[in-house]
Amino acid sequence: MTCLTNLFPHPLRGLLLVTPFLLSTGLANLTLFLLPFAKLLLPSSLIHTLCSLIAGTLVYRFVQHIFTAINSAEITFSGDTPLPNESAIVIANHVAWSDFYLVQAAADKANMGGRTRYFAKAGLKWGLWGMGMPIVTREWTRDKRELERVFRGVKEEGWKTWLVSFSEGSRFTPEKYLQSRLWCRQNSKPQPEYLLYPRTRGFIATVQHLRKAPHVKAVYDLTLAYQCGEEFQKAPTMWETIAVPKLSLTREQGGVGYRFHVHVRRFPIEELPGDAAGLAKWLEQRWVEKGRWLEARRLRWASVDVLRKTDGIFGGMGRVVDEDSRT
């Protein structure tokens, strides 16, 4: 069974939900853009805290509420439990816009929802720049200066942060996967399943800078998994996350049938290699393990679905439960 969410466009419903979100986001972006210019009057640490509060309240929690509470998206978790109020470097695979919801749900478990900062592409500035997010261009000379700007507050002033990087540098697509396989073959690198080979340069720079900040204690590795119907790693579009109700309810319950899952691994930063080559190899190994974990998750969900169908045939003699923690 394929996932056919285009059967549920709900344009009016989507507009009713997205309008207040866009208004609050516009207000937040304007405020976040202007706040850094108040640094002559206010301490930079206070400005950073205010930015985190505004983003967490007007942007992150608003859209997260639409996704989970209004549209019934259920996010499940496995692996390590994030430590409360812990600043960290966060790496994750990149599937779709909805990755944001999964990362934010993990950050909320650490009470760091408003403190998340994402590597953003140039051209998406404005409020992102005001929040202290790294604006990257893939021109290393410019990016290096930008990272030093962002890291300065974390290292010198002790800003709390969950600094999130989608280390593949791009969303996964079948076409990009073929390109990644070709590159790995030509360069004798392992090609992880369901993933693109990770870009290492930004990760190396981030670890080498932020391991000098005493309050940055760990690297969190998030593996994001999706399923809709029988389609593994099928994620909803941005519009569907806002407009479509009953996202995680089954077809039998009148829903769409999406699964959203985050597997969390925590690595103390002092245990990571000290040199650039070692860090590159460490990140590569994480991606190989991610691919193995994703295949195991696919098989697990498939077996759960088979058991549920069997249970239905025999009149529901036993209730099949997927034993992951939930939001």
Side-chain angles (χ1 to χ4, degrees), residues 161-180:
T161 188
W162 252 43
L163 185 57
V164 182
S165 173
F166 295 110
S167 298
E168 292 153 301
S170 180
R171 296 181 185 181
F172 180 94
T173 66
E175 295 76 18
K176 291 175 183 175
Y177 181 67
L178 291 176
Q179 294 171 9
S180 178

Side-chain angles (χ1 to χ4, degrees), residues 52 55-56 60-61 104 107-117:
S52 299
Y60 296 166
R61 287 185 182 175
Q104 285 301 130
D108 285 340
K109 284 183 171 290
N111 196 33
M112 296 291 281
R115 300 283 184 174
T116 50
R117 300 292 186 271

Side-chain angles (χ1 to χ4, degrees), residues 188-214:
S188 301
K189 298 290 186 180
Q191 172 59 61
E193 293 187 80
Y194 307 107
L195 303 162
L196 308 179
Y197 188 84
R199 300 175 184 270
T200 60
R201 191 162 54 181
F203 173 75
I204 292 168
T206 302
V207 173
Q208 289 180 334
H209 277 81
L210 294 190
R211 74 191 327 164
K212 299 173 185 176

Side-chain angles (χ1 to χ4, degrees), residues 42-259:
L42 299 172
S44 59
S45 58
L46 177 58
I47 293 173
H48 181 78
T49 299
L50 290 173
C51 286
S52 299
L53 180 62
I54 292 168
T57 303
L58 292 181
V59 183
Y60 296 166
R61 287 185 182 175
F62 198 134
V63 70
Q64 195 83 355
H65 181 76
I66 293 174
F67 183 63
T68 57
I70 297 177
N71 289 336
S72 302
E74 183 178 59
I75 303 171
T76 57
F77 293 86
S78 60
D80 300 328
T81 300
L83 299 184
N85 303 307
E86 180 178 58
S87 290
I89 299 164
V90 181
I91 54 175
N93 57 309
H94 196 12
V95 182
W97 157 262
S98 50
D99 296 346
F100 166 82
Y101 302 107
L102 275 61
V103 173
Q104 285 301 130
D108 285 340
K109 284 183 171 290
N111 196 33
M112 296 291 281
R115 300 283 184 174
T116 50
R117 300 292 186 271
Y118 292 81
F119 281 79
K121 294 180 180 179
L124 299 176
K125 297 183 180 180
W126 221 39
L128 302 183
W129 173 82
M131 285 183 67
M133 294 197 187
I135 309 297
V136 294
T137 66
R138 294 189 184 176
E139 295 179 18
W140 185 242
T141 301
R142 292 178 59 185
D143 289 348
K144 187 177 180 180
R145 292 197 300 267
E146 173 67 7
L147 293 178
E148 288 172 351
R149 175 189 75 85
V150 173
F151 296 153
R152 190 176 300 116
V154 179
K155 289 193 301 181
E156 297 177 7
E157 302 192 41
W159 293 351
K160 290 184 177 182
T161 188
W162 252 43
L163 185 57
V164 182
S165 173
F166 295 110
S167 298
E168 292 153 301
S170 180
R171 296 181 185 181
F172 180 94
T173 66
E175 295 76 18
K176 291 175 183 175
Y177 181 67
L178 291 176
Q179 294 171 9
S180 178
R181 288 183 62 184
L182 177 61
W183 184 90
C184 287
R185 189 179 306 119
Q186 293 172 342
N187 292 274
S188 301
K189 298 290 186 180
Q191 172 59 61
E193 293 187 80
Y194 307 107
L195 303 162
L196 308 179
Y197 188 84
R199 300 175 184 270
T200 60
R201 191 162 54 181
F203 173 75
I204 292 168
T206 302
V207 173
Q208 289 180 334
H209 277 81
L210 294 190
R211 74 191 327 164
K212 299 173 185 176
H215 66 294
V216 179
K217 301 293 187 181
V219 174
Y220 282 97
D221 177 15
L222 308 183
T223 303
L224 313 181
Y226 298 87
Q227 187 154 310
C228 188
E230 296 178 357
E231 294 183 69
F232 186 63
Q233 290 303 71
K234 170 68 176 178
T237 65
M238 179 181 181
W239 177 248
E240 288 169 340
T241 66
I242 295 171
V244 178
K246 302 179 181 179
L247 285 169
S248 289
L249 273 66
T250 65
R251 291 292 179 84
E252 292 74 18
Q253 296 170 320
V256 185
Y258 273 112
R259 286 175 166 126

